[in-house]
C-alpha cells in the first residue's frame, strides 16, 4: 500500500495552512498542524504554545547570534538545548506520521525530514506582501500599521531556523516539487493544483529528474 504524503511549507500570511487543510479534506487524508504540535508536546513535555513558536522560528533575527544560542540545557533533554531537543523530537514524530501515510503535514521542515520518503509531494506556498499583510490583519487582528514589520520578522526567523536544521535555504524553488503564489492564483486554485499534482504522482512524474 502506498504511503502518500504532502508537505506544505509556507510564508506567514500566505494561507498555506488553510490550503493544506482543504487539500487534506479533498483527499480524505489526515491533516497535521495543531495535531502535530500536540504529539510533540506529549513527547517533550513542553507547552503547546512554546512548540508552536519555537518549532519553526529562530529565537533571534541574527544568524551569528543564533549560531551560538543554546537555551535551557538540562537533564530532561539529555544535555541538548531545548531547541535541539525539540528539533529531534519533531523529526521523530514526523517520521512516525509518515510511516502511516496518506497525510498532509504543514511546516516544521517536514519537506526536508521526509526528503528520502517515497510518494512525498513537497509544496511551497508564498504570496505578495500586500496580500499577506491584509490577511494577517483580518485573520489575526494585527494592527493595520504594523503587519509588514511582523511579516518580515517572521520570515527572517523562519529562514534562520530552517537553515540551521536543514542546511538548505528556505523558500528556494529547487527544494520543492511545486511552488504556488496564493495571492495570484487564489486559495481554491492552489488546492486544485496540489490535488492534481498529487494525483499524477508518482507514476507519471519522475521527481528525481
Amino acid at each position: 500500500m502506498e504511503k502518500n504524503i504532502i508537505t506544505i511549507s509556507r510564508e506567514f500570511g500566505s494561507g498555506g495552512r488553510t490550503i493544506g487543510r482543504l487539500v487534506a479534506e479533498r483527499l480524505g487524508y489526515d491533516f497535521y498542524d495543531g495535531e502535530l504540535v500536540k504529539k510533540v508536546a506529549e513527547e517533550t513535555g513542553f507547552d503547546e504554545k512554546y512548540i508552536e513558536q519555537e518549532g519553526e522560528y529562530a529565537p533571534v533575527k541574527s544568524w551569528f547570534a543564533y549560531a551560538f544560542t543554546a537555551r535551557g540545557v538540562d537533564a530532561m533533554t539529555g544535555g541538548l538545548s531545548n531547541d535541539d531537543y525539540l528539533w529531534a523530537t519533531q523529526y521523530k514524530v514526523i517520521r512516525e506520521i509518515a510511516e502511516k501515510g496518506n497525510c498532509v503535514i504543514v511546516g516544521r521542515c517536514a519537506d526536508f525530514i521526509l526528503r528520502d520518503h517515497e510518494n512525498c509531494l513537497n509544496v511551497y506556498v508564498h504570496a505578495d506582501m500586500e496580500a499577506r499583510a491584509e490577511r494577517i490583519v483580518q485573520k489575526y487582528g494585527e494592527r493595520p500599521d504594523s503587519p509588514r514589520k511582523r511579516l518580515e520578522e517572521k520570515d527572517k526567523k523562519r529562514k534562520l531556523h530552517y537553515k540551521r536544521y536543514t542546511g538548505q535555504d528556505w523558500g528556494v524553488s529547487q527544494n520543492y516539487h511545486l511552488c504556488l503564489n496564493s495571492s495570484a492564483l487564489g486559495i481554491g486554485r492552489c488546492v486544485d493544483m496540489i490535488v492534481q499534482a498529487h494525483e499524477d504522482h508518482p507514476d507519471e512524474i519522475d521527481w528525481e529528474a
Side-chain angles (χ1 to χ4, degrees):
M1 179 179 177
E2 291 183 353
K3 298 174 180 177
N4 297 307
I5 303 158
I6 299 172
T7 71
I8 306 288
S9 302
R10 77 282 185 228
E11 288 183 330
F12 184 67
S14 67
R17 178 181 284 107
T18 298
I19 290 169
R21 177 177 53 78
L22 293 173
V23 168
E25 290 176 359
R26 178 86 66 86
L27 294 170
Y29 283 8
D30 293 329
F31 179 61
Y32 289 97
D33 179 32
E35 185 63 30
L36 176 55
V37 171
K38 290 180 181 178
K39 286 181 177 293
V40 173
E42 290 171 1
E43 292 269 350
T44 61
F46 292 156
D47 183 78
E48 290 182 20
K49 290 184 178 180
Y50 175 84
I51 295 170
E52 286 176 0
Q53 181 64 28
E54 306 302 330
E56 288 195 287
Y57 298 98
V60 293
K61 292 183 286 185
S62 163
W63 172 254
F64 180 80
Y66 194 29
F68 294 97
T69 297
R71 300 174 300 156
V73 177
D74 58 33
M76 186 188 80
T77 64
L80 297 174
S81 70
N82 283 351
D83 293 337
D84 291 345
Y85 180 60
L86 179 54
W87 162 256
T89 305
Q90 286 190 158
Y91 189 104
K92 172 178 173 289
V93 170
I94 288 171
R95 297 288 293 190
E96 290 173 349
I97 288 171
E99 282 305 304
K100 297 178 182 178
N102 289 358
C103 62
V104 177
I105 304 173
V106 175
R108 304 188 181 277
C109 304
D111 58 293
F112 175 82
I113 292 171
L114 301 177
R115 64 194 182 283
D116 60 346
H117 203 289
E118 293 183 3
N119 305 330
C120 182
L121 175 67
N122 295 321
V123 180
Y124 180 74
V125 179
H126 60 102
D128 299 340
M129 178 65 78
E130 292 76 12
R132 294 167 59 203
E134 181 179 354
R135 183 177 179 84
I136 68 170
V137 168
Q138 295 177 348
K139 189 171 180 64
Y140 303 114
E142 187 73 17
R143 286 168 42 198
D145 60 343
S146 62
R148 280 178 172 269
K149 182 177 181 181
R150 186 182 183 200
L151 288 169
E152 290 170 356
E153 181 175 301
K154 287 277 191 179
D155 286 348
K156 192 162 189 177
K157 288 185 175 182
R158 190 171 282 177
K159 285 178 182 179
L160 287 176
H161 179 273
Y162 191 87
K163 183 71 172 181
R164 175 168 181 168
Y165 288 108
T166 72
Q168 298 181 352
D169 293 323
W170 176 75
V172 174
S173 61
Q174 288 86 346
N175 294 334
Y176 310 93
H177 299 123
L178 185 64
C179 295
L180 301 172
N181 185 329
S182 61
S183 57
L185 297 169
I187 297 295
R189 188 172 296 176
C190 287
V191 172
D192 291 340
M193 294 176 73
I194 294 170
V195 170
Q196 183 61 55
H198 172 69
E199 289 175 346
D200 289 341
H201 170 66
D203 296 330
E204 299 180 18
I205 301 175
D206 180 5
W207 296 109
E208 300 302 324

